[in-house]
Amino acid sequence: MSVLLEAPPPNHREAPPPSPPERLRLETAAVRLSFTWFGAKKTLSAGQKAQAAEAFGAAGDSLSAGKKLLDTRHPKYRGVSAVRSQAVAYWKGVSLPFPEPGVRLVRRGDVETLQHRFEGYREELNEAVQELDEVYGELRDSARRRLGELFESGDYPERLGGLFAVEWDFPSVEPPEYLRRLSPELYQRECERTRARFEEAVALAEQAFGEELQRLVSHLAERLEGQADGKPKVFRDSAVENLQAFFERFRCLRLSTSGELDELVEEAEAVLAGVRPEGLRNHTSLRGQAAEGLGRVAQSLESLLVDRPRRRVMRRGA
């Protein structure tokens, strides 16, 4: 028995796959991370600067000077700062750059996870600030002794609670729909501008991936090759682990727009496939092969990045 297959209409055509900027626009959401932070430093008043400048025979308005309100090296203050650093590192690690200050792009499927992690950082920050508040009186007394006549009680709030915070939101980077009704011409211009910004985002992502890979492979290759004082150079496990983490992140966030960059990432990954830090330390031949392979990748990346000069990004004012 024969089966007749109906032919598609003459004008039927498959839609072309979306371009990288279009795919980025369809698959990501913008996320903005911001902090409220009590300033541990303060600029001297005009009178204080004039007094300080007098010792050098200088004019007060030609001197820039400030005072340190709190000892930022104190373990409790470092604990507060560490939470901010971790939050920023996570935010940058799961997202791609976007040509707007303070905004990055995250895969829509990762939004819920990101929300949960940020809520965790908020709790950690609140706990760290509470611990800092417990030694705040001690830090203020220390500042009184260190600053002498520069100490002013008005610079110090009663408590630090509420003066440190982490916030995030998901701003729209699309033209507002109401603009279509108010002014179709202006709406179209905004659509063009949005397309241009996502094209720029793709270029920024490629550039960031290339520069990060070059830094990681160059560092590890330099530590693996040659000797220092007659012995193999020392390298930390993190030099290998950071590269392997980069491979995983690149696979998750890759845009597949630069065949050359994709190939170099695959080449570097092949060099370290199944390799552990202790293996590089214990086997001279393996160490040499890895150094040679990563060195080739680093040289190719250098040429690639030179041939593609950094784009000048026009950012809107914050």
Side-chain angles (χ1 to χ4, degrees):
M1 184 176 76
S2 61
V3 178
L4 295 178
L5 298 179
E6 185 177 352
N11 295 329
H12 174 79
R13 293 182 182 177
E14 291 187 4
S19 65
E22 291 170 342
R23 186 159 55 85
L24 193 64
R25 192 171 174 179
L26 291 170
E27 297 178 358
T28 63
V31 57
R32 178 167 49 202
L33 182 66
S34 59
F35 296 90
T36 299
W37 216 255
F38 173 69
K41 295 182 180 179
K42 185 176 180 179
T43 302
L44 297 186
S45 67
Q48 291 168 337
K49 285 192 287 186
Q51 185 178 353
E54 186 177 350
F56 300 95
D61 58 4
S62 65
L63 181 69
S64 176
K67 56 184 177 180
K68 196 172 183 180
L69 301 181
L70 297 176
D71 180 9
T72 55
R73 297 172 298 177
H74 192 283
K76 297 301 182 183
Y77 193 93
R78 286 185 171 180
V80 173
S81 299
V83 178
R84 178 172 63 178
S85 299
Q86 292 165 11
V88 171
Y90 169 75
W91 175 55
K92 291 185 176 181
V94 298
S95 61
L96 295 171
F98 189 71
E100 183 172 327
V103 174
R104 294 179 67 86
L105 301 174
V106 64
R107 293 187 308 175
R108 295 185 182 183
D110 293 336
V111 166
E112 188 173 349
T113 301
L114 180 139
Q115 172 80 8
H116 179 72
R117 287 291 294 270
F118 280 169
E119 289 172 352
Y121 287 127
R122 173 181 282 168
E123 293 178 4
E124 291 179 28
L125 180 61
N126 290 338
E127 292 173 2
V129 171
Q130 184 176 352
E131 293 181 7
L132 177 62
D133 215 13
E134 292 172 358
V135 299
Y136 179 45
E138 172 190 329
L139 290 173
R140 190 166 44 189
D141 291 341
S142 175
R144 188 189 304 271
R145 294 190 296 270
R146 286 187 296 100
L147 292 174
E149 295 182 6
L150 292 176
F151 180 85
E152 296 177 271
S153 58
D155 292 334
Y156 297 85
E158 287 297 319
R159 301 186 63 82
L160 296 177
L163 299 182
F164 296 86
V166 54
E167 301 291 341
W168 63 94
D169 67 320
F170 301 90
S172 173
V173 292
E174 297 289 341
E177 190 62 28
Y178 69 80
L179 200 59
R180 186 201 298 267
R181 298 187 300 272
L182 292 179
S183 174
E185 182 180 351
L186 181 56
Y187 178 79
Q188 186 59 38
R189 286 207 301 267
E190 286 298 299
C191 287
E192 293 296 333
R193 191 171 71 89
T194 299
R195 276 192 286 271
R197 292 168 82 187
F198 274 92
E199 289 173 0
E200 189 64 51
V202 170
L204 287 171
E206 289 181 353
Q207 178 179 296
F209 277 134
E211 291 177 352
E212 183 180 1
L213 180 60
Q214 183 189 38
R215 175 176 56 81
L216 292 172
V217 297
S218 297
H219 171 70
L220 183 54
E222 188 274 330
R223 302 313 300 170
L224 293 178
E225 63 185 9
Q227 296 183 334
D229 299 327
K231 298 180 180 179
K233 294 180 182 178
V234 176
F235 69 91
R236 297 182 178 180
D237 289 4
S238 59
V240 178
E241 294 165 354
N242 289 343
L243 250 175
Q244 293 171 336
F246 170 86
F247 299 145
E248 180 64 27
R249 189 158 52 86
F250 183 79
R251 280 195 297 270
C252 291
L253 299 174
R254 69 190 298 176
L255 301 171
S256 298
T257 58
S258 171
E260 295 172 282
L261 180 58
D262 288 357
E263 290 174 3
L264 290 173
V265 172
E266 292 174 1
E267 184 177 344
E269 191 169 13
V271 171
L272 293 180
V275 174
R276 300 181 64 83
E278 57 267 27
L280 293 173
R281 293 191 181 96
N282 298 332
H283 301 281
T284 304
S285 60
L286 180 60
R287 184 184 182 115
Q289 291 171 6
E292 181 180 357
L294 294 177
R296 287 196 305 269
V297 173
Q299 290 179 354
S300 299
L301 280 167
E302 184 176 358
S303 300
L304 179 63
L305 294 174
V306 168
D307 292 341
R308 297 183 178 186
R310 181 187 296 271
R311 290 194 180 194
R312 192 172 182 181
V313 182
M314 301 301 294
R315 299 180 184 272
R316 296 192 303 172

